[in-house]
Amino acid sequence: MGCYMTLLELLHLMRKRIKLIVLLPLIFAIATAAFTYLALPNVYTATISMYVLSKNADSTTSDNVTYNDLNASQMLANDFAKLAQSERITSATADDLGMKSLDNYKISVTSSTTTRIIDLSVTGSSPQAVMTIANKMGEELSDTAVSIMNVQSVNILDSAQVPDHASGPPRLMYTLVALLAGLFLAIAIIVIADAIDTTVKSPEDVENSLGMPVTGRVPFIRELKKGSVGTAAIRTLPELQNAAKTLMANIRFSSLDTDIHTICVTSSLPSEGKTTVTIVLGEAYASAGNRVLLVEGDMRKRSLANTLKLAPSAGLYSVLTQEKTLQEAACSTGIRNLYLLDIEPNIPNPVDILSSNHYENLVKTLSGLFDYVIFDTPPLGTFIDAAVLGALTDGTLLVVKRGATRRAMAQGVIKQLEQAGVNTMGVVLTFCESDNSDYYYKYYTKEEMAGKSGRHARKNGQCDM
């Protein structure tokens, strides 16, 4: 997404990683809550309130309770805080109570800025102990302050009482902080992972890093991942139908000056969805009234027949060697106007066959018999077949799997196609989110596409399969 990420892009990333956004904060919060309840004991706080009167104050005359008197008393608050935590007070209090020390107790002194009342608080694990310590410390503090500080008296207003509920630890606050920390960490992980991810993740990636238009997008469908999509399943998946019709229309829009009737489909690596793209595109053309032939172009690992759940008795090699006629080798897929020309297994020297005059003549023959011929080829990142075959066809589609295909790999494939003089029409992005309804542009209806179909059906030599 570049060096900078917009809020909308961040929200989009968070939505895609919603499990991490939810689970990580919950784990942090639950772990923190469990730790505070199991490892941090309850603490209790007892407070004694004392009234401090300086020696300058005259209790018989209200006018003498001046600003200076109040200010002087307020200035003593810090002194009282230091005095209360001094060794003199803590040791004396501990000795009076028969304790070794007050190290396990927290002592604090607070004072309002508008009064001469000072609160002495003692916090510890025992409710009874903190009450006893607070009261005894108040007495020690009062006596010591009168004797060594410029105060007339320190009077106890409210003695400390046994606290009836714990004052800490602040488990809810700790849990909320952990929740927020988990959320921030999840967001940071998502942002960093996206920044270091070199795969193609969006149409913007395709256009910016590959310099190619996105001709189509195939949504992620669980059946596709399982590799169990045949023609019957395709007809029941509206997302695939919509994606195929859009791809078909975009191929037409992208080649207004050139008729595209022979198409090569390839990818950078295996399992990027090119066979599915071949099938759904072929069905889209066939459903619009065109005669379509799917050709197995991978002589090493056939996939079309297996995906379509067909078992042809002959294939392309038999046609090239003239052992079988095209009518004998091609078979129906079960969809009107859609046929398959398979390839026999274990064909030797695939590149030599593709580069032969026989293969080039076969491509021309097929183009004359069918409205559209679509070749499913092996990954160009592994074998060069697609570059050789792509030069014989009207256009080539590069299939890129979102979030899996690395930009550098796709860039290398595009460069190979360019060096071979292949007309690369664009990229088909697979495994996209199925809710990208904003992508599906307006496309031609079946009747409109059928108006252009039948180009070859009216020519001599129509294949009567």
Side-chain angles (χ1 to χ4, degrees), residues 14-79:
M14 292 173 61
R15 186 171 64 86
K16 291 195 297 183
R17 302 289 188 271
I18 189 64
K19 288 185 178 179
L20 180 63
I21 290 293
V22 172
L23 290 179
L24 193 59
L26 282 179
I27 292 173
F28 271 49
I30 293 173
T32 301
F35 175 79
T36 58
Y37 275 99
L38 297 176
L40 300 181
N42 287 339
V43 294
Y44 301 86
T45 300
T47 302
I48 181 173
S49 297
M50 297 173 289
Y51 182 82
V52 180
L53 185 63
S54 68
K55 289 184 177 180
N56 295 328
D58 185 353
S59 60
T60 61
T61 307
S62 61
D63 291 340
N64 288 336
V65 184
T66 62
Y67 169 78
N68 290 334
D69 175 44
L70 184 61
N71 186 54
S73 298
Q74 283 298 306
M75 291 178 64
L76 295 174
N78 289 335
D79 295 336

Side-chain angles (χ1 to χ4, degrees), residues 252-328:
R252 180 176 179 182
F253 296 152
S254 65
S255 307
L256 294 177
D257 298 331
T258 306
D259 286 339
I260 302 294
H261 294 283
T262 54
I263 300 172
C264 178
V265 181
T266 189
S267 62
S268 302
L269 297 171
S271 304
E272 294 194 73
K274 61 181 178 58
T275 298
T276 298
V277 171
T278 300
I279 294 173
V280 298
L281 180 59
E283 183 182 353
Y285 278 125
S287 64
N290 300 283
R291 296 178 61 80
V292 183
L293 178 67
L294 305 180
V295 181
E296 180 60 75
D298 192 340
M299 300 184 187
R300 300 172 183 82
K301 186 179 180 181
R302 303 150 58 230
S303 55
L304 277 175
N306 292 336
T307 305
L308 293 170
K309 304 187 184 308
L310 299 174
S313 59
L316 186 145
Y317 190 74
S318 299
V319 176
L320 288 175
T321 58
Q322 298 183 349
E323 296 178 10
K324 298 285 184 179
T325 66
L326 180 61
Q327 287 81 358
E328 292 173 330

Side-chain angles (χ1 to χ4, degrees), residues 36 40-46 104-106 122-127 130 163-171 174:
T36 58
L40 300 181
N42 287 339
V43 294
Y44 301 86
T45 300
N104 295 328
Y105 296 88
K106 179 182 177 182
V122 178
T123 301
S125 59
S126 170
V130 294
D164 55 2
H165 62 274
S167 60
R171 294 187 176 92
Y174 291 159

